[in-house]
Amino acid sequence: MHSLGRAALAAMMIVGAGTAKAQITTVVASPPRKTEPAQQAAAQQRERVVQDSVARVAMTGMKEWVDSASAALAIRPDTVPTAADTALGTPRTATAPAPKSDSASTRTAERSSEFRDGARAPDTATPIPTIGLAGALLILIGVAMKRRERTARVRARR
Amino acid sequence: MRRVTLHPLNGRRAASTALIVCGALLLIGSATSVARGAIARDAARARWVEIEAERAVAGARVSTGGARWSEARGTPVARVTVPRLGLDEVVVEGVGDEELRAGPGHMIGSALPGDSGTSVISAHRDRHFHALGGIALGDTVVTESASGTVVWTVSRIRVVPADDSALEARTTPTLMLTTCWPIRYVGPAPDRLIVEAMPTR
């Protein structure tokens, strides 16, 4: 009987693992924190400083930047330079690589969305067979436990 | 006063009943998913027949080109067959969960089979591409799409890790069929099977 109980516990843990994994993923996301206006201003200032430094690094390849900027303007003839356009702002749209993000949603989208050179094969994994198998296993264990319980009940009556 | 005591056998009975109920719920859930997939597959096939008929009518009216095919997610965009394996599936646009439930999915952004470039078609290993496990070099694959009917020859078969950047953009027409690997595996398969084919004619 103990072995059956252990098997049932193990089966429940296996079945629950997948679900628990998904729940943990959703639970981990922290709620947005309320920040004071002064803290927000400081954070924006820090972000601005980081952006400037990134843009400065991107400008090291001047030849590529000029080529790509001219190509970008050729593609979009409606783009008219304005006073707001600065040397630091333009290359971000022209040559800067797509910003990398480690968020779960970005990774999911990257995993199975649109085709590009060097893309991963779409995520075709499905938990359905495993879920079905786990369900059948639980039923078998439950039926076996019921049989043993009936046998034990008959013995107890005697 | 009557004292009620819980017999150990009653606890076991409750536990076994709970296990059976949980198992039945899991089985019903997976069976429902499979049934929904079968319904979606039938709907995709019926829609494919309609699209072919519309194309035929439009082709009769206009000598150049046919009806414009929709590229909305879930819309049938092609048909892929592997005669030796008996594989015959209607391909829908997109590789999301809903699309892959209905049939093999055409990866958005890749070329349609027959167009210049890489065309990527993916499906679940336990459903539409189960037969793909038996594919061999030199096998014939036939595709039908807005670009016409193309006969392909399997030129390369490889197994790569799931997170491998294995899909290459090419300028020449290339067909890539992908699914999970190993085909028979309990749990999320760790690898991907990629079958590459080149046009025969």
Side-chain angles (χ1 to χ4, degrees):
Chain A
M1 198 64 219
H2 285 296
S3 60
L4 265 180
R6 285 177 190 164
L9 184 64
M12 288 179 78
M13 285 175 71
I14 291 167
V15 172
T19 314
K21 194 175 163 188
Q23 285 174 348
I24 287 166
T25 310
T26 52
V27 169
V28 163
S30 57
R33 282 187 295 178
K34 290 180 181 176
T35 53
E36 297 295 324
Q39 289 177 336
Q40 283 182 347
Q44 285 173 356
Q45 181 65 27
R46 279 199 300 275
E47 194 177 327
R48 208 172 296 139
V49 170
V50 171
Q51 283 176 355
D52 287 345
S53 62
V54 171
R56 187 155 49 82
V57 172
M59 280 190 68
T60 51
M62 288 300 289
K63 187 178 183 304
E64 289 80 6
W65 172 73
V66 170
D67 290 346
S68 62
S70 60
L73 287 174
I75 291 168
R76 295 185 56 199
D78 58 323
T79 306
V80 179
T82 62
D85 292 337
T86 64
L88 290 177
T90 312
R92 185 169 293 280
T93 56
T95 60
K100 290 180 180 176
S101 170
D102 286 337
S103 68
S105 59
T106 308
R107 280 201 301 272
T108 307
E110 186 187 9
R111 191 171 52 206
S112 59
S113 58
E114 296 187 2
F115 175 76
R116 59 181 165 73
D117 190 25
R120 297 173 188 173
D123 187 5
T124 48
T126 169
I128 299 301
T130 311
I131 291 173
L133 202 64
L137 192 68
L138 285 183
I139 289 176
L140 282 177
I141 293 170
V143 168
M145 283 177 73
K146 257 198 187 316
R147 279 189 179 180
R148 288 208 169 197
E149 176 258 332
R150 274 183 196 164
T151 311
R153 202 174 280 273
V154 169
R155 280 180 190 165
R157 279 180 191 164
R158 285 176 187 171
Chain B
M1 189 173 175
R2 192 177 168 187
R3 179 179 282 180
V4 179
T5 55
L6 184 65
H7 196 276
L9 287 176
N10 289 336
R12 288 178 192 173
R13 177 187 281 182
S16 59
T17 305
L19 280 177
I20 290 171
V21 169
C22 287
L25 286 176
L26 290 176
L27 267 184
I28 289 169
S30 57
T32 305
S33 177
V34 171
R36 283 177 64 194
I39 292 168
R41 185 189 187 198
D42 287 346
R45 281 183 179 274
R47 181 68 190 127
W48 173 258
V49 171
E50 286 176 15
I51 289 172
E52 278 194 321
E54 286 168 11
R55 276 197 78 217
V57 171
R61 286 179 185 161
V62 186
S63 58
T64 55
R68 184 174 174 79
W69 288 25
S70 170
E71 292 179 352
R73 280 176 172 270
T75 308
V77 291
R79 183 177 186 174
V80 60
T81 54
V82 183
R84 190 178 73 81
L85 302 176
L87 191 152
D88 182 357
E89 297 289 346
V90 170
V91 180
V92 298
E93 183 71 353
V95 290
D97 289 342
E98 288 298 318
E99 291 86 55
L100 291 183
R101 188 176 286 159
H106 170 250
M107 199 173 188
I108 293 172
S110 69
L112 271 179
D115 286 349
S116 293
T118 306
S119 175
V120 182
I121 295 173
S122 305
H124 288 310
R125 65 188 159 96
D126 60 326
R127 295 188 199 175
H128 314 288
F129 272 2
H130 186 70
L132 212 59
I135 201 148
L137 288 173
D139 273 350
T140 299
V141 180
V142 183
T143 58
E144 297 169 42
S145 70
S147 305
T149 302
V150 183
V151 179
W152 308 78
T153 304
V154 175
S155 58
R156 190 182 179 195
I157 299 171
R158 56 192 169 125
V159 173
V160 299
D163 58 352
D164 194 62
S165 304
L167 303 181
E168 303 153 11
R170 295 181 187 162
T171 53
T172 54
T174 306
L175 179 66
M176 288 191 184
L177 307 176
T178 80
T179 189
C180 289
W181 186 265
I183 295 288
R184 289 184 180 83
Y185 187 86
V186 178
D191 299 325
R192 300 286 180 268
L193 171 70
I194 299 178
V195 176
E196 288 184 31
M198 296 295 170
T200 307
R201 59 177 183 266

